[in-house]
Amino acid sequence: MSPTTKNPRNQYLRTDRMPHIWCPGCGLGTTINCFITAVEECGLPLDLISVVSGIGCTGRIAGYLKLDSFHTTHGRPIPFATGLKLANPKLKVVVFSGDGDLCAIGGNHFIHAARRNMDLTIICVNNFTYGMTGGQVTPTTPMEAVSSTTPYGNIEEPFNLPFLADCSGAVYVARWTTFHVRQAAKAMREAIQKNGFSFVEIISPCPTLYGRRNKLGDGLKMMQAFKDNSVVCNDADTRSVALDFRGKIACGKFVDREKTSFLDMYNTKMAERFGPFYEPYEGVK
Amino acid sequence: MAEAKKPKSPKGTVAINVELCKGCGFCIAFCPSGVLEFSDKFNSKGYHPPHAANPEKCVGCGLCGMYCPDFAIFGTRNKEVA
Amino acid sequence: MKADPKGVLTGAHFLDGDHACCEGALAAGCRFAAGYPITPSTEVVERIAARFPSVGGIFIQMEDELASSIALQGAVWGGAKAMTVTSGPGFSLMMEHIGYAAMVETPCVFVDVQRSGPSTGLPTLPAQADMMQARWGSHGDYEVIALCPNSPQECFDLTIKAFNLAEVYRVPVMMMMDECVGHMTEKVVIPKASEIHVEPRRYTTAKPEDYLPFKAEKNSAPPMVRAGDGYRFHVTGLTHDERGYPVTNAEVQDRCVRRLVDKIRANARQIIMLEESDTSDADIVVVSYGITSRVAVKAIQQAREDGYKVGHLRLVTAWPFPEKRLRTLASHVKAFIMPELNLGQMYFEMQRCVEGRAATYLLPHAGGSVHDPELIYQKIAYAARHMRVKEGKEKEAAK
């Protein structure tokens, strides 16, 4: 019984790019672990999983996963993923990006992909700030929180992302923190297995640029706070799960419903219109 | 590269790649069995990696590996010895 | 490779340029399109929306042009031939993704049915004022290919050509149409599928463990892979090495960007398409492109009938610019005239190539209509007069 010396996660990682660029105490690596577990558990062939990221710290995730991976432009991973999915619907397309990328610059794409129920899994790592550019305010920064562009405290009401996803039409909505590794992995697996627009928000520590400015301590302290402040409330009304500065963090699976996905709807409609001559669209030949 | 502790008959084993560690302490804080502690040693980047201070307590749950944001540690369940 | 007969509407049709462009895309094998409505390009996507489902393709109307211009690239990396269609304001929104396509070498086609600008401008009227934007609109150094059809027939033919060029060089190829060409209805002859050359996508034959996604032969584009084929590759808009991994240093930046530029510059001769008439004995050459070339022809014919030694050089390819041909012509031509539906864009490119060896005249037009051929005629006459005056002075000086 010799000790295993190779991390079993290595087969999913571009180990030739390690160590990664993220700070000590950053939660992004933890979300990757959760994702790897989710991928392992759902048993999909790895060759059929594509990861699409935008720009920012979370945007770098695509570059560390040894899957077909696309590091696209700022805010646009969802429309890129839309094209990828439609060209080859056999692919499981996962968008892995940050709160600024998906909900500020990419907010329009987020709501529209949810509205048309595009079969994509969106994992939004929410650290309440733009890390890559030095800690500016994002649409999820809580009121009062200090950022480099809100030095006197944020005065804008933040997005409640599960509610945004829910009311835009997502078929699966969950939120966990990087402390809840097992639950987060399970939520990612369920999201991947769902047919339609599925959304998982992961609250993650950014000790360097958000924690430090807001006196929340280092990564570990922030993780402890996630542990202490989380309240599991599955099936909660998404209107009630907004986040406050240093407040309680509602976690759980909030939405899980069935709705015809974009492509299924498309094929149904075209078959109706063209009759028996219509060959269902299953990707470009 | 990886340094592993091999206790007498623990249920699990933890392996640490000290060079990848950035010393965040997640694994130490969230190990449910209290296996890990910060080491006195430095890695080449100047961080204190964890070490298995109480290897006999490891149950091989793998949570350290789930938490580690730097892919520097992982736990495995030992095979049952007849 | 020959065209897939499924997408080819063989026969003689009465089509406008927008519709012909859609048919060209289908013939070229395009099976994915993303778009957003914008005058005067909307008819292209309307026809696409009607036609694609019956030929195994798919169209999606995205939420904006930013989305369209990246969705098509997602589709390309998923294995499709893809395009998007827009006009001025939408084209402006697409600029970042033209840069992305250049950087990650996505073979794709952007159709810009030009209207007058800036900003909302004259949505229903023509212009040729996006020519520099097509070339330089995205930040950083890169090269693209841009084609300028001047008839519905060419909207069909050149769209096929655009797709083929995109595959060979892995660059975004722009179809620089304009409102006139887009909305003009003429006879369009669509040949048999077996007579249409379609450039297949060049996929790698290397094994996944040996494959380097961005390793290319000198002055060329690397072979591609698509998602799902087991290569587990990475694509990034960051400066990247041959593995496709981001690298942050000047050396890799130089290697990465130089190849993007060189693969077009070194192959300019193969890419460039020109139409010339009477240039060999010409003293004056009218250089034109797009709809303006059709207006110019009328003026040139009249001028030749009236004894002026005028030739015509029509840029079918606007980018890369035919530098060599202009330099050669400048060795015997005494004056160049460029009418264009803007206040001076391609003119300056022409002037650069002529290098002061001949007179150059811009015939600007802010857009909203086309040039009156009479104005072009007058410019020819004016250039001829100046030429004679100059020659007279030179003779005088020689005495």
Side-chain angles (χ1 to χ4, degrees):
Chain A
M1 201 174 59
S2 69
T4 319
T5 53
K6 222 175 129 196
N7 192 331
R9 287 181 183 84
N10 283 2
Q11 58 174 310
Y12 302 94
L13 298 170
R14 298 189 193 277
T15 47
D16 48 350
R17 297 202 59 216
M18 296 295 163
H20 56 57
I21 61 164
W22 300 313
C23 304
C26 168
L28 284 166
T30 308
T31 66
I32 291 188
N33 292 328
C34 299
F35 178 68
I36 289 173
T37 306
V39 164
E40 268 178 342
E41 286 176 357
C42 65
L44 285 167
L46 296 183
D47 290 351
L48 292 184
I49 303 172
S50 284
V51 176
V52 184
S53 288
I55 297 296
C57 288
T58 318
R60 294 301 187 99
I61 281 183
Y64 293 121
L65 281 166
K66 199 170 177 185
L67 298 166
D68 290 338
S69 57
F70 300 92
H71 183 218
T72 64
T73 51
H74 196 18
R76 320 298 165 206
I78 291 177
F80 184 97
T82 298
L84 188 61
K85 177 71 186 178
L86 291 182
N88 185 358
K90 288 184 231 22
L91 299 175
K92 199 30 103 171
V93 183
V94 179
V95 172
F96 219 135
S97 219
D99 47 317
D101 188 74
L102 289 173
C103 307
I105 186 167
N108 198 31
H109 311 308
F110 180 84
I111 58 173
H112 285 281
R115 174 184 62 79
R116 53 171 80 98
N117 201 18
M118 193 53 67
D119 185 13
L120 300 173
T121 296
I122 315 296
I123 301 170
C124 176
V125 183
N126 180 3
N127 58 10
F128 309 109
T129 197
Y130 286 97
M132 189 69 86
T133 46
Q136 294 75 30
V137 69
T138 76
T140 58
T141 308
M143 298 276 272
E144 296 299 314
V146 169
S147 76
S148 73
T149 47
T150 54
Y152 311 112
N154 179 27
I155 55 160
E156 294 178 22
E157 181 99 13
F159 267 144
N160 167 358
L161 293 182
F163 178 49
L164 181 68
D166 181 10
C167 65
S168 303
V171 292
Y172 183 96
V173 180
R175 176 200 280 151
W176 295 99
T177 77
T178 45
F179 169 73
H180 302 90
V181 282
R182 299 256 189 249
Q183 296 92 324
K186 182 173 176 236
M188 289 182 192
R189 170 172 60 75
E190 288 177 348
I192 290 170
Q193 286 170 331
K194 198 82 190 166
N195 183 21
F197 187 90
S198 52
F199 175 70
V200 180
E201 179 185 15
I202 305 289
I203 307 295
S204 173
C206 172
T208 310
L209 295 157
Y210 182 72
R212 179 173 56 85
R213 278 206 180 88
N214 289 289
K215 304 192 165 47
L216 300 173
D218 61 5
L220 184 56
K221 264 234 171 87
M222 294 179 82
M223 287 282 273
Q224 293 282 10
F226 293 166
K227 183 184 174 186
D228 299 340
N229 296 339
S230 302
V231 184
V232 177
C233 40
N234 288 312
D235 302 317
D237 185 333
T238 52
R239 281 174 296 186
S240 69
V241 302
L243 300 174
D244 294 330
F245 187 52
R246 294 170 184 266
K248 292 285 174 205
I249 304 169
C251 292
K253 179 165 81 176
F254 305 131
V255 176
D256 191 351
R257 61 187 160 211
E258 297 305 317
K259 233 168 75 177
T260 313
S261 72
F262 174 88
L263 204 56
D264 290 343
M265 191 68 98
Y266 178 87
N267 276 327
T268 307
K269 184 76 201 165
M270 294 305 162
E272 226 175 78
R273 184 67 184 73
F274 290 103
F277 301 105
Y278 182 69
E279 217 179 293
Y281 177 80
E282 286 166 353
V284 288
K285 298 220 169 74
Chain B
M1 182 169 80
E3 145 202 323
K5 299 280 171 181
K6 193 179 157 191
K8 276 172 194 166
S9 59
K11 287 186 188 162
T13 308
V14 59
I16 303 162
N17 185 341
V18 293
E19 283 309 318
L20 283 178
C21 179
K22 290 177 186 164
C24 67
F26 290 3
C27 56
I28 299 169
F30 301 125
C31 169
S33 317
V35 174
L36 302 159
E37 277 175 20
F38 276 117
S39 159
D40 291 337
K41 291 179 189 143
F42 292 101
N43 68 11
S44 64
K45 289 215 193 290
Y47 296 111
H48 288 291
H51 75 121
N54 306 301
E56 71 288 352
K57 289 186 181 170
C58 181
V59 295
C61 68
L63 264 182
C64 53
M66 278 296 269
Y67 278 110
C68 177
D70 297 287
F71 317 110
I73 188 170
F74 61 96
T76 45
R77 219 174 278 273
N78 294 340
K79 280 187 196 126
E80 295 287 332
V81 184
Chain C
M1 195 174 106
K2 298 299 167 203
D4 171 10
K6 218 175 174 185
V8 183
L9 212 60
T10 305
H13 307 268
F14 194 50
L15 291 179
D16 73 14
D18 282 356
H19 286 199
C21 172
C22 164
E23 291 306 326
L26 278 168
C30 173
R31 293 293 181 271
F32 179 93
Y36 185 84
I38 185 164
T39 305
S41 74
T42 313
E43 290 86 342
V44 186
V45 292
E46 283 175 342
R47 192 174 176 106
I48 285 173
R51 288 271 286 137
F52 272 35
S54 62
V55 298
I58 194 161
F59 166 72
I60 182 166
Q61 182 174 314
M62 296 301 285
E63 50 275 14
D64 56 31
E65 287 89 346
L66 299 159
S68 306
S69 56
I70 194 77
L72 94 139
Q73 299 191 48
V76 169
W77 285 97
K81 286 196 176 181
M83 79 168 178
T84 187
V85 185
T86 192
S87 183
F91 198 50
S92 292
L93 287 178
M94 291 180 177
M95 286 303 130
E96 186 184 4
H97 291 143
I98 286 171
Y100 187 75
M103 189 58 149
V104 307
E105 301 177 75
T106 312
C108 54
V109 174
F110 287 76
V111 178
D112 176 16
V113 187
Q114 296 172 89
R115 67 192 221 185
S116 309
S119 191
T120 313
L122 296 172
T124 57
L125 296 169
Q128 296 177 309
D130 305 349
M131 298 307 295
M132 284 293 162
Q133 188 183 24
R135 172 66 187 86
W136 301 106
S138 200
H139 58 279
D141 275 318
Y142 62 97
E143 289 273 347
V144 295
I145 297 172
L147 309 177
C148 303
N150 73 359
S151 66
Q153 180 69 52
E154 278 199 350
C155 289
F156 174 83
D157 296 337
L158 292 184
T159 302
I160 298 173
K161 188 82 193 167
F163 275 95
N164 289 347
L165 287 167
E167 293 303 329
V168 175
Y169 298 103
R170 282 185 63 179
V171 287
V173 179
M174 326 277 169
M175 275 290 282
M176 301 305 288
M177 292 165 55
D178 58 70
E179 186 276 332
C180 273
V181 166
H183 285 162
M184 163 198 297
T185 304
E186 284 183 342
K187 184 178 172 185
V188 175
V189 178
I190 299 182
K192 287 190 199 120
S194 59
E195 291 162 9
I196 298 171
H197 169 70
V198 168
E199 197 67 41
R201 180 146 305 157
R202 202 156 47 87
Y203 287 114
T204 185
T205 51
K207 289 191 212 114
E209 57 273 26
D210 302 329
Y211 177 62
L212 289 169
F214 294 92
K215 184 176 168 57
E217 299 290 315
K218 195 169 188 283
N219 299 332
S220 72
M224 265 188 102
V225 288
R226 73 196 134 183
D229 281 354
Y231 283 82
R232 311 243 202 119
F233 60 102
H234 183 56
V235 169
T236 176
L238 286 164
T239 294
H240 46 268
D241 61 15
E242 289 164 340
R243 296 172 299 174
Y245 289 179
V247 180
T248 312
N249 67 47
E251 187 199 328
V252 174
Q253 165 71 4
D254 184 79
R255 209 164 61 222
C256 176
V257 176
R258 231 175 251 281
R259 189 174 60 73
L260 298 181
V261 168
D262 286 349
K263 70 180 176 181
I264 297 301
R265 289 190 186 167
N267 293 298
R269 204 164 57 91
Q270 281 78 27
I271 297 167
I272 291 168
M273 292 174 287
L274 298 169
E275 269 181 20
E276 280 186 48
S277 55
D278 305 318
T279 49
S280 53
D281 69 333
D283 289 330
I284 299 166
V285 167
V286 176
V287 184
S288 70
Y289 58 93
I291 188 62
T292 311
S293 64
R294 292 181 68 165
V295 183
V297 164
K298 192 174 159 66
I300 292 163
Q301 273 169 356
Q302 186 61 53
R304 270 202 99 86
E305 276 169 32
D306 294 350
Y308 294 101
K309 286 165 81 179
V310 194
H312 188 197
L313 174 67
R314 180 189 156 217
L315 314 178
V316 180
T317 311
W319 305 113
F321 194 75
E323 297 177 6
K324 273 203 176 134
R325 185 61 195 142
L326 270 158
R327 288 209 175 99
T328 312
L329 282 175
S331 65
H332 73 269
V333 172
K334 298 191 177 66
F336 291 91
I337 299 170
M338 187 179 282
E340 53 182 342
L341 293 180
N342 57 56
L343 302 184
Q345 292 195 12
M346 300 304 280
Y347 165 77
F348 293 106
E349 199 60 11
M350 174 182 85
Q351 196 185 42
R352 176 176 71 81
C353 298
V354 169
E355 292 169 327
R357 289 184 293 160
T360 55
Y361 299 95
L362 168 65
L363 202 55
H365 187 307
S369 71
V370 293
H371 289 81
D372 181 346
E374 180 62 28
L375 289 175
I376 302 176
Y377 180 92
Q378 283 170 11
K379 203 61 154 184
I380 294 168
Y382 177 86
R385 238 177 5 254
H386 266 254
M387 211 168 66
R388 280 196 299 275
V389 171
K390 197 178 165 216
E391 276 168 0
K393 277 184 186 158
E394 277 166 3
K395 270 184 199 156
E396 200 77 21
K399 280 176 199 168

